[in-house]
Amino acid sequence: MNKPLKFTFRFHLTYRLLALTIAVLVVLSCQQKDSTSSTFGMVIHGGAGTILKKNMTSELEEAYSTKLTEALSYGYNILNNGGSSLDAVETAIKILEDSPLFNAGKGAVFTHSGTNEFDASIMDGKTLMAGAVGAVKHVKNPIALARLVMEKTPHVMLTGEGAEAFAKEQGVELMPDDYFFTERRWKQLQRKIERGKKNTNPSKDKTTTIKGLEFESSSMGTVGAVALDKAGNLAAATSTGGLTNKRFGRVGDSPIIGAGTYANNRTCAVSGTGQGEYFMRSLVGYDISVLMEYRGMSLEKAANTVVMKKLVKLGGSGGVIAIDKDGNVAMPFNTEGMYRGYVDRDGKVIVKIYRE
Amino acid sequence: MNKPLKFTFRFHLTYRLLALTIAVLVVLSCQQKDSTSSTFGMVIHGGAGTILKKNMTSELEEAYSTKLTEALSYGYNILNNGGSSLDAVETAIKILEDSPLFNAGKGAVFTHSGTNEFDASIMDGKTLMAGAVGAVKHVKNPIALARLVMEKTPHVMLTGEGAEAFAKEQGVELMPDDYFFTERRWKQLQRKIERGKKNTNPSKDKTTTIKGLEFESSSMGTVGAVALDKAGNLAAATSTGGLTNKRFGRVGDSPIIGAGTYANNRTCAVSGTGQGEYFMRSLVGYDISVLMEYRGMSLEKAANTVVMKKLVKLGGSGGVIAIDKDGNVAMPFNTEGMYRGYVDRDGKVIVKIYRE
């Protein structure tokens, strides 16, 4: 009777080990599946332009890096806790708007008349709803106002004093002019006005102005964020103070849906920074999306095609950050540098400034 | 000797007839070729919406038809004489802006505060240059100002008082408020304000407003023109007074490049009219262009896909006029009617209002 018993015991042991192995494999496979279904991610930018290491101090580098990391971490934390991509991009942008380092919110450049005017937009990739504000003053966080336009009105874009009246009606935080005063931006305006005065050949200047925009690094610093949340929803947001010394209520690409900002759950979310007029004429955000949708390109190929080929051919400089519905990330730029950062698949924050 | 002579004569006659036939065919073929190489054309619209025959008088029908024919004829004449598509669309739009019949220029609807605010844009398909103005007042022909933005500044979009300051600097014709006063539009505003007051359930109203825009026929009447000139250059232009009773500096799709207006020599020129917010979120103009470029669709198929399928799916109503680089024309609309017209290949003006 011993032999059969031993056999049975051995069989049971083998059987149990096999069952355990299968169970472990099933659990691991489920985890793998769960980890795929909860792919999420975030990318931000703080402007593209003539950003050269030789012109930077290590203190300034550190300041930019710290602020970008902070914005990314707050946004990523929202996503990690199951929050929405809209909340993540709005939170990240607000942090950058509240910093004097970037050309948005507090750190915005001055217009010709010495005021600060903001453009911002946000888009929900799930519903294709969007909100934007153009040429608004006194609003502490233009991106929050853009989101209210999306969620509380039937409109996409509100501008000027009207948008500020809407902000008051919604109880949005308004700030006095001096909140937006930064010594650095004021000096940039004075230098630009002085250079304008020194130009004694207005006709020559006009030709130059018409043929090619002089986009100085002083105007750079538009901020943007894109995110994919655990529910698979994409969102994009962009905020800017526009161009130093700008006149005539000029509005750039940042508040234009499809140009500076675009999100669509079928494809990707994009935020742009650079020579706004070229982004508007090229429909940069939407073009990246439709190159994926209509041409079957990957996010990386679509973003590179638009930023490194099509924009360059038209004469426009700048960059974009983008994330697709699978969590892939792209950050192409055709300028010397772009303040940018993302969180990798292990949750590690990566921040970069220059070309690599 | 007679027989051979007769034969020779007959042979000569047959030969001559044959030569003549060949010569005629060659001339005809050359003419055909010449006519193809100088293909040109023009399409215009005067707004889409709830335009029903039962609500129209024959006098009003006649008035719309006459004005659309006049605008088309002037524009087409420019093209026929070798002029540019940009001149043709600007001229046609100016004629419609100067008429009290359409919601643009003189006939613009009133904002909530009883003012008139205009949006307009123009795009050159050859260079992809574009100009737009948003929320401008007092400008007699907003389309002419949009063209000046394109040609005299490095910008694409100027808004509000800034755009009016630019208009003054450029010597553009400004008009006092009463020039834009029309009894019909004033009554429309009063009716809409009264209806707003009668609504005693603001929360319900808010939900309605947020979920779906009430675009009344009173707000319809945006005007647009697209043209292909003999040099093969496409152009598009759109002008509007926006929505009756609009507030907060709302800007719609008409001044947004890629939404209400788009032109690209590689594909087509498009001008839209309808629920602007849906056109902005759908990038209607650019989408038609890229469906042709990336998907190889014909103009007709691309325009139908966007207006009759994609817009409808999103819940947006309206229509577009479009012309492609080969002179093909499309005018789809998903509303009851659209004031529209084109010139056919024989130079005959065709104007239509209702569905057919």
Side-chain angles (χ1 to χ4, degrees):
Chain A
M1 293 281 285
N2 269 0
K3 221 173 174 183
L5 191 73
K6 207 173 170 184
F7 172 77
T8 310
F9 176 77
R10 271 186 189 163
F11 173 79
H12 278 185
L13 190 69
T14 315
Y15 178 76
R16 280 177 189 175
L17 274 171
L18 190 67
L20 187 68
T21 311
I22 289 170
V24 167
L25 283 173
V26 166
V27 168
L28 279 175
S29 131
C30 283
Q31 281 182 330
Q32 187 67 30
K33 206 174 174 185
D34 185 59
S35 134
T36 306
S37 73
S38 66
T39 293
F40 62 99
M42 178 141 198
V43 198
I44 63 171
H45 72 73
T50 315
I51 309 165
L52 295 167
K53 202 169 175 65
K54 63 177 182 182
N55 300 333
M56 290 278 270
T57 62
S58 57
E59 288 76 18
L60 202 54
E61 261 182 21
E62 182 66 26
Y64 275 110
S65 186
T66 304
K67 193 48 76 176
L68 289 168
T69 302
E70 183 191 337
L72 262 177
S73 306
Y74 271 83
Y76 189 80
N77 200 36
I78 289 171
L79 299 172
N80 200 23
N81 290 331
S84 76
S85 50
L86 281 171
D87 286 342
V89 295
E90 185 186 346
T91 299
I93 297 279
K94 275 180 179 171
I95 290 169
L96 301 176
E97 282 176 344
D98 291 346
S99 158
L101 287 171
F102 305 94
N103 178 19
K106 181 162 179 52
V109 300
F110 286 97
T111 65
H112 183 73
S113 52
T115 58
N116 306 96
E117 286 183 11
F118 318 109
D119 300 340
S121 67
I122 191 164
M123 187 164 187
D124 178 354
K126 183 184 179 186
T127 58
L128 301 184
M129 293 292 280
V133 290
V136 293
K137 296 175 188 171
H138 303 119
V139 177
K140 182 168 180 273
N141 291 114
I143 199 64
L145 188 61
R147 186 161 178 189
L148 287 171
V149 172
M150 175 171 77
E151 294 181 345
K152 303 288 181 193
T153 84
H155 302 307
V156 168
M157 189 177 195
L158 302 183
T159 60
E161 287 173 16
E164 201 173 321
F166 172 70
K168 281 179 192 156
E169 200 183 276
Q170 292 289 320
V172 159
E173 194 171 6
L174 300 177
M175 299 303 250
D177 288 341
D178 59 3
Y179 168 79
F180 302 100
F181 182 88
T182 53
E183 192 70 26
R184 173 181 164 221
R185 298 301 192 191
W186 185 252
K187 281 182 179 165
Q188 284 172 350
L189 173 66
Q190 301 314 317
R191 278 200 300 271
K192 197 147 183 183
I193 290 175
E194 274 308 308
R195 272 207 300 279
K197 280 182 190 161
K198 277 181 193 159
N199 193 324
T200 51
N201 188 343
S203 67
K204 193 187 166 197
D205 180 52
K206 200 172 163 188
T207 316
T208 315
T209 315
I210 290 168
K211 285 195 175 165
L213 258 178
E214 189 202 357
F215 281 90
E216 296 180 50
S217 54
S218 62
S219 295
M220 299 298 174
T222 294
V223 302
V226 295
L228 169 69
D229 62 29
K230 288 182 176 179
N233 293 321
L234 289 160
T238 313
S239 180
T240 191
L243 301 174
T244 301
N245 200 28
K246 73 179 169 188
R247 298 175 69 189
F248 305 135
R250 176 261 186 188
V251 165
D253 65 313
S254 300
I256 306 295
I257 300 307
T261 303
Y262 189 73
N264 188 327
N265 274 8
R266 283 202 306 273
T267 52
C268 61
V270 182
S271 170
T273 168
Q275 296 176 316
E277 277 72 9
Y278 291 89
F279 279 62
M280 295 166 90
R281 293 162 54 202
S282 303
L283 283 306
V284 163
Y286 192 59
D287 205 21
I288 293 172
S289 174
V290 289
L291 281 173
M292 293 178 71
E293 189 178 352
Y294 298 161
R295 279 269 171 94
M297 285 187 189
S298 67
L299 176 75
E300 194 187 355
K301 190 171 180 192
N304 276 328
T305 300
V306 173
V307 176
M308 310 307 280
K309 290 181 186 170
K310 294 177 82 168
L311 256 187
V312 170
K313 197 177 167 191
L314 205 63
S317 75
V320 303
I321 52 160
I323 188 166
D324 72 12
K325 60 186 170 52
D326 302 314
N328 299 304
V329 160
M331 309 185 292
F333 55 97
N334 60 38
T335 49
E336 276 80 3
M338 179 165 83
Y339 300 108
R340 62 201 187 279
Y342 68 101
V343 186
D344 72 10
R345 287 179 195 265
D346 302 321
K348 194 178 157 200
V349 173
I350 317 277
V351 167
K352 296 178 181 182
I353 299 178
Y354 315 104
R355 273 181 201 278
E356 299 209 317
Chain B
M1 295 281 282
N2 272 0
K3 224 174 173 180
L5 190 71
K6 208 173 170 182
F7 171 79
T8 309
F9 177 76
R10 272 185 190 161
F11 173 78
H12 278 187
L13 190 69
T14 314
Y15 178 76
R16 279 176 189 176
L17 274 172
L18 189 69
L20 187 68
T21 309
I22 289 169
V24 167
L25 282 173
V26 165
V27 168
L28 279 176
S29 130
C30 284
Q31 280 183 334
Q32 188 68 29
K33 204 172 173 185
D34 183 59
S35 137
T36 306
S37 71
S38 65
T39 292
F40 62 100
M42 178 142 198
V43 198
I44 64 172
H45 72 74
T50 316
I51 309 165
L52 295 167
K53 201 170 175 68
K54 64 177 182 183
N55 300 334
M56 290 278 271
T57 61
S58 57
E59 289 76 19
L60 202 55
E61 261 182 22
E62 181 65 26
Y64 275 110
S65 185
T66 304
K67 192 49 75 176
L68 289 167
T69 303
E70 183 190 336
L72 262 176
S73 305
Y74 271 84
Y76 188 80
N77 200 36
I78 288 170
L79 298 171
N80 200 21
N81 291 331
S84 76
S85 51
L86 282 171
D87 286 343
V89 295
E90 184 186 347
T91 299
I93 297 279
K94 276 181 179 171
I95 290 169
L96 301 176
E97 282 176 342
D98 291 345
S99 158
L101 288 171
F102 305 94
N103 177 18
K106 182 165 179 49
V109 299
F110 286 96
T111 66
H112 183 73
S113 52
T115 59
N116 306 96
E117 287 183 11
F118 317 110
D119 300 339
S121 67
I122 191 165
M123 187 163 188
D124 178 353
K126 183 184 178 185
T127 59
L128 301 183
M129 293 291 281
V133 291
V136 294
K137 296 175 188 172
H138 303 120
V139 177
K140 183 169 180 271
N141 292 111
I143 199 64
L145 187 60
R147 186 161 178 188
L148 287 170
V149 171
M150 174 171 79
E151 294 182 343
K152 303 288 181 192
T153 84
H155 302 308
V156 168
M157 189 177 196
L158 303 183
T159 60
E161 287 173 15
E164 200 173 322
F166 172 70
K168 280 179 192 154
E169 198 183 276
Q170 292 289 319
V172 160
E173 194 172 4
L174 300 176
M175 300 303 250
D177 287 340
D178 61 2
Y179 167 79
F180 301 99
F181 182 88
T182 53
E183 192 69 26
R184 174 181 164 221
R185 298 300 191 191
W186 186 252
K187 281 182 179 165
Q188 284 172 349
L189 173 66
Q190 301 314 316
R191 278 200 299 273
K192 197 149 185 184
I193 289 175
E194 273 309 306
R195 271 206 301 278
K197 281 182 191 161
K198 277 179 193 160
N199 192 325
T200 51
N201 187 342
S203 68
K204 192 186 165 197
D205 180 52
K206 200 173 164 189
T207 316
T208 316
T209 315
I210 290 167
K211 286 196 174 164
L213 257 177
E214 188 202 358
F215 281 91
E216 297 181 48
S217 55
S218 63
S219 295
M220 300 297 174
T222 294
V223 303
V226 294
L228 169 69
D229 63 29
K230 289 183 176 178
N233 293 320
L234 288 160
T238 312
S239 179
T240 191
L243 301 174
T244 301
N245 200 28
K246 74 179 169 189
R247 298 175 70 189
F248 305 134
R250 176 260 186 188
V251 165
D253 65 311
S254 299
I256 307 295
I257 299 307
T261 302
Y262 189 73
N264 188 328
N265 274 8
R266 283 200 306 272
T267 52
C268 61
V270 182
S271 169
T273 168
Q275 296 175 313
E277 277 72 8
Y278 292 88
F279 279 63
M280 294 165 90
R281 293 161 54 202
S282 304
L283 283 306
V284 164
Y286 191 60
D287 204 21
I288 293 172
S289 174
V290 288
L291 281 173
M292 293 178 70
E293 189 178 350
Y294 298 162
R295 278 271 171 93
M297 285 189 189
S298 67
L299 176 75
E300 194 185 355
K301 191 171 180 192
N304 276 328
T305 299
V306 174
V307 176
M308 310 307 280
K309 291 181 185 169
K310 294 177 81 169
L311 256 187
V312 171
K313 197 177 167 192
L314 205 62
S317 74
V320 304
I321 52 160
I323 188 166
D324 73 11
K325 61 186 168 53
D326 302 314
N328 298 305
V329 160
M331 308 185 292
F333 55 98
N334 59 39
T335 49
E336 277 81 4
M338 180 166 81
Y339 300 108
R340 62 203 189 276
Y342 67 101
V343 186
D344 73 10
R345 288 181 194 264
D346 302 321
K348 195 179 156 197
V349 172
I350 317 278
V351 167
K352 295 176 182 183
I353 299 179
Y354 314 105
R355 272 180 201 278
E356 300 209 316

